[in-house]
Amino acid sequence: MYYMAEKRLLLGDEAVALGALHAGLSGVYAYPGTPSTEITEYIQQSPFARERGVRSRWCTNEKTAMEAALGMSYAGKRALVCMKHVGMNVCADAFVNAAVTGVKGGLVVLAADDPSMHSSQNEQDSRFYGKFAMVPILEPSDQQEAYDMMAQAFALSEQLRLPVLMRLVTRLAHSRAAVQTGEPVAQNALEPDNERTHWVLLPGNARRQYASLVAKQPEIAALAEGAAFNRLQIPKVSDLGVIAAGIAYNYVRESAPAGLPILKVSQYPLPVKQVRELAAHCGRILVVEDGQPFVEEQVRGLLGPEYPVRGRLSGELPRTGELTPDCVAAALGVEGGPAFADAHNLAPRPPQLCQGCGHRDVYTALNQVAAEYPNARIFGDIGCYTLGALPPFRAIDSCVDMGASITMAKGAADAGVYPAIAVIGDSTFTHSGMTGLLDAVNDGSDITVIISDNLTTAMTGGQDSAGTHKFEAICLALGVEREHLHVVVPLPKNMEEITRILREEINYHGVSVIIPQRECMQTLGRKLRQKKQETK
Amino acid sequence: MKLDIKLSGVGGQGILSIATVIGEAATAAGLHLKQAEVHGMSQRGGDVQSDMRLSTDGICSDLIPLGQADLIISMEPMEALRYLPYLAPKGAVITSSKPLVNIPNYPDEAALLAELDALPHVVRADIETLAREHAMPKSANMILLGMAAPALSQLLSEEQLRDAIARVFARKGMDIVNANLEAFKLGLETASNR
């Protein structure tokens, strides 16, 4: 029954997952991150993936994911790596160098960008990474294309022997539409690469490989120029022409007047010939793209300073935030807008830590003790517990990137800040906190680290956390002293014990680690409901 | 023919289940559909919304433009008001009238309901109390869907919605299916008694 072509209602993320499975995927490697999480979850829950033995367990971070996927590709099989945009920063070393080694089995790297920062700390545009690494980039405009493109992406990767970057944005990743599925193809056979000179990047080999990557560029460009996903439509003569990248194509079509010339771009490098042809037919070009002005900058360079190119850089579209049908309509000169004004009786309703959550007890204790030290600084990290920045806690002074709590506390302590306290979640600690803790131990830094362990990756919906039940062992192995390592249970009834330990460890001038450990309310609730269901 | 629906509420109130049922009914009816959801951080007790677009023709944007939502369906009255700029001139608001107060600066309830009632097309009821009185505390969202059913009828019939409820909740057992069908019926009655 799996092999019947059929229509299914899928999130963009799910369309990517199913597309990859049907394209003969052998393994998905990922660390959870909104809006990319549902890709891996779909594969983990897919009976088809289970039947085929597709490897899908969560990885410790995006770098381990990328490298493992490269290893699977080396062995001849098709692998997918998924992450949110900022994950590209974590795996950049492996990603950029995978373009230099090249690949064997198809390797697709999927980055889900989050313009408007619905659940992120920046809105960096992953397409720059693709250009930087000199690999093809695919950017689907809708769910059907997301599905269809996966087969193309793997074929392209094997044809060029390069990783292929696919970019989604939140509004595609988390939007549902019907998708027509096709016939699955077989997985690749095990066939490890024998070309050692490709894979051993000693300078002598690396120079040859880099030259070969550069030499592939005309072919990559020609493939984008002729790609079915890129389409130039010039129905009639018009002063205005539009270049619409990825999901922007839908917003343009939503309000574009009939006959508007449009170049739809979903495969890069930018199809330069088509851009020139559009420019030759029109007096000016509006570039509509989600994220940063990646295409707009290139088109400006291509057409020169005399040709009017409009978009996010010129102010026709907002420089920050995701595209909306409204800002695109306005840039096209189409009238519209609200019929009703903003309501009067309205207040913001920010997200908050769940009632009964252990992080709450951690912050209650921390605020109580920190109040006794007027110069205390608390360095936060990325996860649900970042919400400790908001009322009623207002407990943290920073949140920058995965793992930065420990290392920033260390640097601040080096500079003389006391007490310097780090708060980091369990999954973030194994993702990027462990190495920083080793630095602090080796340097004898005067910091107090709190690993708030809720036994899961909670923020993204409760995925397995790589270090569950191993945190004490990890800290001891990194050199944290036994007498300065404590596990507590964050509950109101234990407040006295927790605050006492906090005080003692702040007064100890070295590395101490306190692990408040209690299961996430959400995952606990889910387990209890499942149990109830099963016993019925 | 098209129906653009803003679904709104507070994280955990079950607006995505309403979306799932409408989506199931629309798919079975052969309609085009796009539905944008919010996942991640905002689900923790913050405001949540979903853009649902149904049409007999193809749909372009995943998001509903300002001033074009035919319906706002909301599990919470202030969250209904949040999306007023999206409401079409002839659009309707179908909402629970019971505030969920989890912020210190929640507006005055009477003023909020008065602002709601000043809109041209509003159907509101305290679905939380209704659900409790009828011993179906977990089906408040299906009461709301029942209240919205007349407004959906140009594209989806009551029968199609009932069938979709049965299919969506089938794996949870017949008791759950029946409770949700009862809630849906109660919502229909509530809407028609007004």
Side-chain angles (χ1 to χ4, degrees):
Chain A
M1 69 173 286
Y2 299 127
Y3 302 100
M4 259 167 33
E6 55 175 341
K7 254 195 158 121
R8 299 194 207 178
L9 201 55
L10 298 176
L11 289 176
D13 275 349
E14 295 169 344
V16 163
L18 193 59
L21 286 173
H22 287 177
L25 185 76
S26 288
V28 62
Y29 296 86
Y31 180 79
T34 312
S36 70
T37 312
E38 292 81 357
I39 302 170
T40 305
E41 286 185 328
Y42 185 90
I43 295 171
Q44 288 172 340
Q45 288 154 16
S46 157
F48 178 76
R50 208 168 306 132
E51 191 179 281
R52 285 193 163 192
V54 177
R55 185 268 167 219
S56 63
R57 195 188 160 99
W58 291 108
C59 301
T60 303
N61 65 34
E62 292 86 353
K63 181 172 181 287
T64 67
M66 180 75 72
E67 290 157 350
L70 186 62
M72 181 169 270
S73 160
Y74 172 90
K77 300 196 175 188
R78 290 184 165 185
L80 172 67
V81 195
C82 310
M83 68 201 77
K84 67 183 294 165
H85 57 341
V86 284
M88 287 299 291
N89 302 334
V90 179
C91 73
D93 194 3
F95 173 67
V96 173
N97 287 309
V100 182
T101 60
V103 307
K104 179 88 189 294
L107 176 61
V108 177
V109 179
L110 188 134
D113 291 1
D114 190 20
S116 276
M117 306 180 230
H118 296 281
S119 221
S120 303
Q121 75 272 45
N122 76 24
E123 49 180 40
Q124 66 182 54
D125 188 323
S126 297
R127 293 176 298 174
F128 286 96
Y129 268 113
K131 190 172 190 318
F132 184 45
M134 297 193 280
V135 301
I137 308 165
L138 297 175
E139 190 184 11
S141 65
D142 61 17
Q143 294 79 356
Q144 183 68 54
E145 258 187 4
Y147 174 86
D148 294 339
M149 267 185 183
M150 285 312 290
Q152 288 284 330
F154 280 111
L156 196 60
S157 171
E158 286 170 6
Q159 179 187 346
L160 292 164
R161 294 197 55 129
L162 285 178
V164 168
L165 178 68
M166 189 186 284
R167 180 217 193 200
L168 298 183
V169 293
T170 299
R171 294 306 184 173
L172 179 50
H174 285 172
S175 176
R176 257 173 239 283
V179 172
Q180 180 75 50
T181 64
E183 290 276 317
V185 302
Q187 291 164 299
N188 288 358
L190 174 64
E191 202 181 337
D193 204 346
N194 293 318
E195 300 285 349
R196 281 188 170 175
T197 56
H198 293 183
W199 292 94
V200 182
L201 292 181
L202 279 167
N205 290 337
R207 284 182 205 116
R208 265 195 308 278
Q209 283 303 106
Y210 184 59
S212 132
L213 173 61
V214 171
K216 283 178 188 172
Q217 297 305 306
E219 187 186 359
I220 300 175
L223 286 167
E225 206 72 58
F229 301 118
N230 294 339
R231 256 196 322 272
L232 177 61
Q233 303 147 283
I234 307 182
K236 63 179 190 190
V237 179
S238 160
D239 176 44
L240 176 68
V242 172
I243 298 176
I247 196 170
Y249 183 61
N250 302 336
Y251 299 136
V252 170
R253 284 199 309 148
E254 179 77 22
S255 56
L260 184 73
I262 302 175
L263 171 58
K264 170 187 181 292
V265 178
S266 283
Q267 183 171 334
Y268 306 82
L270 192 66
V272 169
K273 282 183 203 156
Q274 293 177 35
V275 173
R276 286 194 194 283
E277 196 181 337
L278 179 70
H281 280 84
C282 303
R284 61 198 165 99
I285 286 179
L286 176 72
V287 179
V288 190
E289 57 191 322
D290 224 342
Q292 295 175 312
F294 175 77
V295 171
E296 190 178 347
E297 276 183 352
Q298 292 182 55
V299 171
R300 281 183 169 212
L302 197 66
L303 300 180
E306 301 304 317
Y307 195 96
V309 176
R310 301 286 179 253
R312 286 185 183 265
L313 287 171
S314 63
E316 269 74 5
L317 289 161
R319 183 66 180 79
T320 62
E322 66 182 349
L323 293 175
T324 64
D326 311 300
C327 73
V328 173
L332 290 170
V334 177
E335 294 203 10
F340 294 90
D342 286 343
H344 299 292
N345 294 285
L346 202 55
R349 198 190 302 258
Q352 47 188 275
L353 290 168
C354 304
Q355 293 304 320
C357 168
H359 294 317
R360 282 181 174 264
D361 301 305
V362 170
Y363 283 125
T364 301
L366 206 46
N367 277 349
Q368 196 180 321
V369 175
E372 300 161 14
Y373 300 84
N375 298 319
R377 288 289 188 280
I378 299 175
F379 299 89
D381 224 302
I382 295 186
C384 286
Y385 52 96
T386 316
L387 295 172
L390 304 177
F393 299 108
R394 300 180 197 273
I396 59 173
D397 296 296
S398 75
C399 164
V400 182
D401 66 270
M402 296 286 282
S405 57
I406 295 177
T407 28
M408 277 187 70
K410 180 203 182 306
D414 292 347
V417 170
Y418 173 80
I421 301 166
V423 179
I424 186 168
D426 50 318
S427 184
T428 307
F429 177 73
T430 41
H431 179 288
S432 288
M434 298 190 295
T435 45
L437 184 59
L438 182 59
D439 277 354
V441 167
N442 289 346
D443 229 0
S445 305
D446 186 3
I447 62 170
T448 305
V449 177
I450 294 164
I451 304 174
S452 198
D453 179 10
N454 57 8
L455 289 79
T456 188
T457 312
M459 177 91 277
T460 45
Q463 294 75 25
D464 289 343
S465 172
T468 298
H469 304 311
K470 298 176 188 162
F471 290 102
E472 278 184 271
I474 290 170
C475 292
L476 289 172
L478 290 174
V480 176
E481 291 166 46
R482 178 71 261 183
E483 57 272 34
H484 296 291
L485 175 63
H486 307 267
V487 178
V488 296
V489 181
L491 281 169
K493 65 173 183 182
N494 299 333
M495 209 44 72
E496 203 185 313
E497 180 203 358
I498 300 169
T499 51
R500 177 179 53 77
I501 292 173
L502 269 171
R503 260 181 224 105
E504 285 170 9
E505 293 307 336
I506 286 171
N507 293 338
Y508 166 68
H509 297 290
V511 175
S512 23
V513 176
I514 301 164
I515 309 175
Q517 203 166 60
R518 180 155 70 80
E519 186 168 12
C520 165
M521 299 299 290
Q522 298 286 338
T523 53
L524 182 66
R526 204 174 311 143
K527 277 182 198 161
L528 292 176
R529 282 193 299 276
Q530 260 168 16
K531 213 171 189 177
K532 205 171 144 194
Q533 195 91 37
E534 281 158 18
T535 53
K536 256 185 187 173
Chain B
M1 204 186 294
K2 65 105 184 170
L3 263 179
D4 287 336
I5 308 166
K6 273 270 179 197
L7 290 158
S8 63
V10 179
Q13 281 191 318
I15 69 159
L16 290 183
S17 297
I18 300 178
T20 305
V21 172
I22 297 177
E24 170 67 27
T27 306
L31 293 171
H32 291 270
L33 161 80
K34 278 199 174 181
Q35 187 222 331
E37 309 175 348
V38 175
H39 296 202
M41 186 175 259
S42 45
Q43 283 177 302
R44 303 272 175 270
D47 58 278
V48 290
Q49 64 97 27
S50 172
D51 280 20
M52 179 144 220
R53 312 192 77 185
L54 310 178
S55 178
T56 48
D57 307 307
I59 302 163
C60 300
S61 168
D62 296 79
L63 301 177
I64 300 169
L66 290 164
Q68 290 193 25
D70 303 287
L71 291 175
I72 293 175
I73 302 178
S74 181
M75 291 293 291
E76 208 278 347
M78 183 177 77
E79 295 308 324
L81 287 180
R82 194 181 299 283
Y83 302 100
L84 273 194
Y86 287 92
L87 192 64
K90 292 182 176 172
V93 177
I94 292 131
T95 183
S96 168
S97 55
K98 180 73 183 287
L100 192 158
V101 183
N102 64 351
I103 47 172
N105 54 337
Y106 195 94
D108 178 67
E109 185 176 344
L112 190 156
L113 293 179
E115 186 171 8
L116 204 53
D117 289 339
L119 295 169
H121 306 285
V122 179
V123 182
R124 68 172 172 94
D126 179 353
I127 56 170
E128 197 184 306
T129 304
L130 272 173
R132 209 175 37 242
E133 283 172 2
H134 290 78
M136 46 177 79
K138 288 185 177 165
S139 304
N141 53 357
M142 290 300 116
I143 299 180
L144 187 66
L145 179 62
M147 285 164 60
L152 295 168
S153 63
Q154 51 171 310
L155 284 181
L156 296 170
S157 68
E158 286 169 28
E159 202 53 48
Q160 285 171 316
L161 287 169
R162 263 196 289 270
D163 291 349
I165 291 173
R167 287 194 299 273
V168 166
F169 293 101
R171 66 185 177 84
K172 295 190 172 178
M174 270 324 280
D175 290 352
I176 305 280
V177 169
N178 288 332
N180 281 302
L181 286 172
E182 277 299 305
F184 179 77
K185 187 168 159 236
L186 182 61
L188 269 174
E189 289 163 5
T190 306
S192 61
N193 287 342
R194 287 180 52 89

